[in-house]
Amino acid sequence: MSNRKKPVIGITARVEKDQTYTLDPVYAKAILQSGGLPLIVPIVDEEDIPLLCERLDGLIVTGGGDINPTLYGEEPHPSLGAVYPGSDEYEKELITEFLKLDKPFIGMCRGLQMLNITLGGTNYQDLEAEFEGKLYQHLQLAMRTHRTHSVELEEDSRLYDIMGVKKFRVNSFHHQGVRDVSDKLRVAARAADGLVEALESDHHQFVMGIQWHPEEFALQDDQPSINIFERFVDECLKDKYQNQ
């Protein structure tokens, strides 16, 4: 890794009520382990977003709080948790600009949902209240490295090609989820209850969303999870993305 350029990969942080930023260090550690240079992305003025995105070689939008339902034209459900509209709008603008530049992007957990909403999809505001059919536990109480439910990948998906496994178990920390999938994305994985667990774009070089947290497993020497970050960093290193 030391003999090649390292891509600078932006990672969004959760914005708290007092405007402090919080971010689990596992995201940055997974990028460092894979040969990238992580950079926590602050909220900047709208006119500076294109410049920020131009300087970054890749972007990860991470997990966090609930998403404001007004982004997809809905009123708030009684079970909706705390939302931070300014953060939602900022992430939407970041994603929009990154897709316009066709640079590598991964949305993790809430980031998957933000990717889908940015491209016209919708969310379940609360899975237990709104999901139709049998629902398994998606907001686990076990430790973060516990694998709570199964996920199955589509064999024609990029994620299947990267991970090299079809069915496996994942950790899960969300009470919201993808309802209507954007027509600009396709489903790459579902949970056993049918809930969307991964999305990909066929219209961009490398754009995907993952509902679970592979960064936790990548630091536990789980090769399929390591593969995700190593492929992502490799994509960010391509000449069309790398600043010369």
Side-chain angles (χ1 to χ4, degrees), residues 51-202:
L51 177 60
L52 173 63
C53 293
E54 181 183 328
R55 298 288 179 87
L56 295 174
D57 299 304
L59 177 67
I60 294 177
V61 171
T62 64
D66 285 5
I67 297 173
N68 186 359
T70 61
L71 284 181
Y72 46 96
E74 291 188 7
E75 298 293 335
H77 189 278
S79 298
L80 179 70
V83 298
Y84 303 94
S87 182
D88 292 340
E89 292 289 350
Y90 179 60
E91 289 183 0
K92 184 177 180 181
E93 291 170 1
L94 275 179
I95 294 170
T96 298
E97 184 66 23
F98 237 74
L99 297 183
K100 186 189 303 181
L101 294 172
D102 197 11
K103 290 188 173 185
F105 169 86
I106 297 182
M108 299 286 189
C109 193
R110 179 183 183 279
L112 159 77
Q113 298 164 25
M114 279 301 304
L115 171 64
N116 184 54
I117 289 168
T118 298
L119 291 175
T122 67
N123 239 20
Y124 291 108
Q125 294 187 46
D126 182 74
L127 288 171
E128 289 192 9
E130 298 182 310
F131 187 81
E132 296 180 0
K134 184 177 182 178
L135 182 71
Y136 296 118
Q137 186 185 59
H138 289 274
L139 185 57
Q140 72 185 55
L141 302 177
M143 61 189 297
R144 293 188 65 83
T145 53
H146 174 69
R147 295 176 180 264
T148 189
H149 69 74
S150 62
V151 162
E152 187 166 342
L153 291 173
E154 297 293 332
E155 291 188 4
D156 63 347
S157 67
R158 171 176 289 218
L159 197 53
Y160 175 77
D161 177 65
I162 293 170
M163 297 184 70
V165 290
K166 180 173 174 62
K167 190 172 182 179
F168 49 95
R169 303 188 76 82
V170 300
N171 50 9
S172 191
F173 301 95
H174 60 105
H175 84 103
Q176 297 194 317
V178 170
R179 185 200 295 264
D180 299 309
V181 176
S182 163
D183 60 8
K184 298 178 179 64
L185 298 169
R186 70 185 183 102
V187 176
R190 292 186 185 272
D193 55 19
L195 188 67
V196 172
E197 288 285 333
L199 294 171
E200 298 177 352
S201 170
D202 290 329

Side-chain angles (χ1 to χ4, degrees), residues 26 29-30 33 143-147 171 213-226 229:
V26 292
K29 288 179 179 179
Q33 174 179 273
M143 61 189 297
R144 293 188 65 83
T145 53
H146 174 69
R147 295 176 180 264
N171 50 9
H213 287 272
E215 69 277 5
E216 298 282 358
F217 302 137
L219 298 180
Q220 299 290 322
D221 295 325
D222 178 64
Q223 193 59 53
S225 299
I226 291 171
F229 290 94

